[in-house]
Amino acid sequence: MVGCANLPMSSSSAEKVSVHTVSATGVGAEIGTIQFKDSPAGLVIHTDLSKLPPGPHGFHIHEKGSCEPAEKDGKMGAALAAGGHFNPNQSPHHGTPLQGHLGDLPVLNVDAQGNAKQNLVAPRLKVADIQGLAVMVHAGGDNYADQPKPLGGGGERIACGVI
């Protein structure tokens, strides 16, 4: 085994995640997959999702690897067990994939038939950073700001997968 210390360690550079609908009562049907892959440009995210409402949707990595409902302010909420946006650097504000929370991803655009088949890039992330966390699709779009609504205005969590 002499000389093996210089060999690269085996690590995953790609993850494929099943994504499910979520509601205040639990995790629902699978609606597709998201593949995460390392690249020189950052984390490449390939979405293959269906049965979503058409239009733009907030899209984020969340801090805990759960899609289960949880209670907030005395009320059950969809996928609240996933916690907030992945933010290990304690950025004070939500933002774009270039600044703000590390979990802030590009907006997910869903076509008129309810499909999201896109390749997106998160330049500050790699697969190793997000393993064991959750990927979340929100009901509304994301304006990458905390105004006029917090966290880009994405609102309710409608789909989730554990990475």
Side-chain angles (χ1 to χ4, degrees):
M1 299 303 298
V2 175
C4 287
N6 292 331
L7 295 175
M9 296 298 289
S10 169
S11 66
S12 175
S13 62
E15 286 285 336
K16 191 171 187 177
V17 177
S18 294
V19 177
H20 297 260
T21 60
V22 291
S23 71
T25 59
V27 177
E30 183 175 330
I31 60 167
T33 60
I34 298 175
Q35 182 172 352
F36 299 94
K37 187 171 182 172
D38 289 334
S39 82
L43 185 67
V44 174
I45 305 160
H46 175 72
T47 65
D48 188 3
L49 303 173
S50 61
K51 301 178 185 165
L52 288 168
H57 294 272
F59 190 46
H60 309 102
I61 302 296
H62 281 247
E63 64 189 344
K64 298 176 186 168
S66 176
C67 294
E68 295 297 322
E71 188 176 325
K72 180 178 180 182
D73 300 327
K75 185 178 173 185
M76 294 301 285
L80 290 180
H85 293 177
F86 178 55
N87 188 19
N89 299 334
Q90 302 303 309
S91 175
H93 301 289
H94 174 67
T96 71
L98 296 173
Q99 50 82 24
H101 304 151
L102 277 179
D104 295 336
L105 302 177
V107 169
L108 182 68
N109 289 300
V110 178
D111 68 21
Q113 290 74 42
N115 300 310
K117 295 181 189 302
Q118 292 182 271
N119 287 312
L120 306 166
V121 177
R124 300 183 297 157
L125 290 172
K126 55 185 183 263
V127 171
D129 298 330
I130 63 170
Q131 287 179 323
L133 306 181
V135 60
M136 194 74 61
V137 178
H138 292 265
D142 188 340
N143 70 1
Y144 299 121
D146 289 320
Q147 298 295 327
K149 294 183 178 179
L151 302 174
E156 299 274 328
R157 300 166 185 203
I158 61 170
C160 179
V162 176
I163 303 164

